Amino acid sequence: MRDALAILAKDLRIEWRTREGISSVFVLGVLLVVVLTMAHDPSPETAPTLAPGVLWAAFVLTGMLGVQRGFLLERENDCLAGLLGAPVDPAAIYAGKLAANVVLLAVMQAVVVPLVGLFLHVDLAARLPALLLVCLLGFASLATLFGALAARVRAREVMLPLLLLPLLVPLLIGAVQATRAVLVGGLAGASGGLGVLAAFDVIFGVAGWLLFAYVVRD
Amino acid sequence: MRRVLPPLTGLAMLAALVLVFLLVPTEADMGIVQRIFYFHVSSAWVAFLGFFLVAGASAVYLWNGAPTADRLAYAGAEVGVLFCTLVLVTGPIWARPIWGVWWTWDPRLTMTVVLWAIYSSYLMLRAFGGGDAAIARYAAVLGIVGVLDIPLIVVSVRLLRGIHPAVITRTQGGTGLADPWMRAGLLVSALALILLAAWLVDLRVRGAQLEDEVAALRREMDARRGEVA
Amino acid sequence: MIGPPIRAERLARGFGGVRVLTGVDLTVAAGEVVVLLGPNGAGKTTLLRILALLLAPTGGRLVLFGTDATRAPAALRRRIGYAGHEISCYPDLSGAENLAFYAQLFGVAEPAARIARLLAWAGLDGAGRRPVRTYSRGMSQRLALARALLHEPDLLLLDEPFSGLDPDAVEGLQQQLLELRAAGHSIVLATHDVDRAAPVASRIAILHRGRIAWAGDGRADDAAVIVAAYRTIVAERA
C-alpha cells in the first residue's frame, strides 16, 4: 500500500538526515558483542561455540533500543496525531514502521555479523543472509507492535524489554539453534530452528497487523 | 453459584488432601516426595487455564470494551501467575531429592519459566504502566500475544540441548499412573485447585468491581460538592 | 455526504475515571467560525480531538457532514483539518518535506503546486527548505496551519492557535482566518484568550466543567458581553 511506503520513505529520510538511530544502535551492537565476549573470555578453540549466542543476544538487545527510537520520533511534536488524523489505515502505519525497522536492523546486522565473525573466529557471512532475514522479520513484527505500546506507557524504557524479552524466547532459541547448526553442518541441520522462526514470523506478522490499531488509536 | 463455590472448594481440597496423603500408595521409585506431583501437575494445568482465560477475556474486551472482561483478564493473569509460581516452587522441591539438582533446563521447566515471565510482565504493565485508561487495552493486546506465543515456546524449547542427556519429563509420573488411586488422586487434586482458582478469580473480579464503584461514587460526591459551593 | 459540518449531542469523555466532558451539545454550520472559550482544564482539547476523530467519545453521538462519526472515518478525515497544541511536523524534515509527506497521505492532487502556494501563503517561502527544528515559534504555528489546510478541508479545528504569537503574527492569523471564513470553511477554534479570538468569531461558546455553559447568538460585535459572561462563569468556579 502506498501509505505504508510513504511512511517507510519518511522514516528512512529522517534517519538519513540525522543518522542518530543507525549510529547509536551500531555502536551499541559492537559494544555488546565485545562485553559479552569478554565476559566469557573464550579461548580460540571455544570462541566459535559462543558466536551464535553472542550474536543473537546483542541483536535482540540493540534491536529493542533501535525500535524504541522509531516511536519516540512520532511522539515529538505529537506527529502521531498527524498520522492518525490522515485517512490512513493503522495497519498501513504498522507496515510502514515495520519496514523501516527491518531496514534499520538489517543495516545494524551488516556490521555486527562480520564483527562477531572477527572476534570469535567464525565465518558467518556466507551462509547466513536468509537466516538473518527470517529472524529480522519476526523480531521486527513483535518489536514494532510493542514499541508502539511501550511508547505510550509510563516507565517505557524498562517496559519494552520487560514485555518483549519473554515473548522473544522462541525466536532467540530458534535463531541460536539454527545458527549453530549452519556453522557446523550447513542448512540441513537448521530445519528445526528455521521452522520455529518461520512460524514466529507468520504468527506475529499477522497478529501485529491486526492488533496494531488497538495500540495506536484512542 | 457464587455461594456454593467456597464450601465446594473446601470439600474438594479436603478430599484431595486425604487422597494424596492417606489413600494413594507410595510410588515405588521416588518415595514419599512423589506426592507433590499431584499438586504440582494440577497447578500447572490451572496456570494454563488461567492464561487461556486471560487471552479469551482480552479478546472479548478488545471486541466490546466490557469492563467485566477486563477485570476477568486481570484476575486470570494474577491467578495464573500465582499457580505458575507454585509450579516453579514445588518442582525444585520434588526435583532435589530425585535428581540431585534444584533445576535443569529441561523443555518443560524452561517453558514454565518463560510463561511465568510473560504473565508477570503482564502484571507489571498493569501495575506500573500508569493510570491511563488505555492500559487495559494494551494489556489485552499483551494477553493475546502471550497465548499465541505458547505453541512457539513449546516447540522451540524442544530444540534446547538439555544438561541431562536423558530428558526427565513428567510423563514418568504421568503415564506411570497405573494405580487407580493415583489417577483419582490426580483428578481430585486438579478439581480442587481448579475450584480454588475459580474462587480466587471470582473474589478478584468482585473486588475490582467494588473498587470501580467506590471510585465512581467518590467522583460523584466531589462533583456535587463542587456544584453546591 | 451532506449535512451540517458538526452535530454533536451529549458528547462525554472520561480518562481513567475523571470525567472531562459530561455532555456537550454543539452544532456548527458551513461557513461558521465557532470560538470555543474556556479556562485551562475545561475540556477544550478533549472536545477538539473528539471532533477531529482522534479520540472516541465514551458517550453521546457525533455526526459530521451527515455521517455518523463511527462509520466511514477515512472519508470523513479527508474533510477535516486539525492543528493541535503540537505542530505534528517532524523536526528533522524541512517544512516542504513535511507537507509533501502529508500530501501523500491525504491524496492531494498536484501536491508540488499546492505546497508551494501554501508555503507562500504562510510566509514560509525561504524557510520551506530548512528543517522544522530551526523554525521560530510563529513559523512552526504557521506551518502547522498550512499542514491542516493542505487537503482543503471543509472543517478546520484549531487548538490555541494564538498561543506564543507576537502581535504582528496574531493579526496575520486573524486575517487568514477571516479569509477562510469568507471562503466558506467552517472553523472551530479553541482558546482561553477571549480578546484575540472575538474578532474572528461568528459565534462563541463557553465550555465549562465539561459542558457548554453559555453560547452566544451570533453577533460577534458583542465582545464586551462575551467577555463579561466568560469572566462570570469562570469566577463561579471556586
Side-chain angles (χ1 to χ4, degrees), chain A residues 141-162:
Chain A
S141 310
L142 259 192
T144 303
L145 179 64
F146 282 94
L149 194 157
R152 316 188 91 206
V153 304
R154 220 171 57 194
R156 64 183 69 98
E157 294 79 23
V158 86
M159 201 52 78
L160 183 60
L162 196 63

Side-chain angles (χ1 to χ4, degrees), chain C residues 20-21 35-48 85 159-160 189-195 197 204-214 226-238:
Chain C
V20 176
L21 296 180
V35 171
L36 208 54
L37 285 180
N40 291 327
K44 303 192 298 294
T45 300
T46 306
L47 178 57
L48 274 186
H85 275 293
D159 200 346
E160 305 278 6
L189 195 164
T191 182
H192 61 267
D193 193 336
V194 191
D195 309 305
I204 294 194
I206 299 181
L207 188 64
H208 185 52
R209 293 248 192 89
R211 286 168 34 252
I212 303 277
W214 183 90
I226 293 161
V227 171
Y230 179 74
R231 297 227 165 100
T232 317
I233 288 177
V234 171
E236 270 172 21
R237 176 182 70 122

Side-chain angles (χ1 to χ4, degrees), chain A residues 10-21:
Chain A
K10 179 261 299 178
D11 272 7
L12 291 180
R13 182 173 293 138
I14 294 180
E15 202 45 62
W16 181 249
R17 208 50 75 67
T18 60
R19 280 174 275 260
E20 259 171 38

Side-chain angles (χ1 to χ4, degrees), chain B residues 25-32 34-35 98 176 182:
Chain B
T26 307
E27 215 260 355
D29 296 315
M30 297 187 239
I32 299 178
Q34 185 266 353
R35 291 176 194 269
I98 310 286
M182 285 186 172

Side-chain angles (χ1 to χ4, degrees), chain B residues 131-133 219-220 226-227 229, chain C residues 13-19 209:
Chain B
D132 193 355
R219 279 192 313 268
E220 191 65 43
E227 273 168 38
Chain C
R13 173 74 201 199
F15 290 102
V18 178
R19 286 207 300 202
R209 293 248 192 89

Side-chain angles (χ1 to χ4, degrees), chain A:
Chain A
M1 12 176 79
R2 248 170 298 161
D3 294 336
L5 285 174
I7 293 172
L8 168 64
K10 179 261 299 178
D11 272 7
L12 291 180
R13 182 173 293 138
I14 294 180
E15 202 45 62
W16 181 249
R17 208 50 75 67
T18 60
R19 280 174 275 260
E20 259 171 38
I22 294 249
S23 51
S24 57
V25 158
F26 210 74
V27 171
L28 197 59
V30 172
L31 273 174
L32 270 172
V33 171
V34 168
V35 167
L36 287 169
T37 306
M38 289 202 292
H40 285 95
D41 188 19
S43 65
E45 296 81 41
T46 56
T49 55
L50 280 184
V54 168
L55 172 63
W56 293 112
F59 171 72
V60 166
L61 295 170
T62 47
M64 278 195 300
L65 285 155
V67 167
Q68 229 171 356
R69 268 202 77 260
F71 284 102
L72 287 178
L73 200 80
E74 303 291 342
R75 280 185 69 81
E76 234 188 315
N77 292 346
D78 197 14
C79 290
L80 192 60
L83 271 182
L84 293 174
V88 171
D89 193 357
I93 301 179
Y94 177 71
K97 283 291 184 190
L98 175 60
N101 283 328
V102 168
V103 170
L104 175 67
L105 292 168
V107 170
M108 183 194 88
Q109 281 290 45
V111 167
V112 171
V113 171
L115 262 172
V116 170
L118 180 67
F119 289 158
L120 292 168
H121 316 299
V122 184
D123 177 21
L124 291 172
R127 289 164 276 186
L128 281 188
L131 174 60
L132 288 178
L133 187 62
V134 177
C135 295
L136 272 187
L137 286 175
F139 178 83
S141 310
L142 259 192
T144 303
L145 179 64
F146 282 94
L149 194 157
R152 316 188 91 206
V153 304
R154 220 171 57 194
R156 64 183 69 98
E157 294 79 23
V158 86
M159 201 52 78
L160 183 60
L162 196 63
L163 299 178
L164 208 48
L165 283 173
L167 294 168
L168 286 174
V169 165
L171 180 91
L172 201 56
I173 294 177
V176 170
Q177 295 298 322
T179 308
R180 187 173 286 149
V182 163
L183 285 178
V184 167
L187 271 178
S191 58
L194 279 175
V196 170
L197 291 171
F200 197 97
D201 288 0
V202 169
I203 292 178
F204 290 119
V206 172
W209 179 268
L210 294 174
L211 293 172
F212 193 75
Y214 292 105
V215 170
V216 166
R217 282 217 181 282
D218 281 322

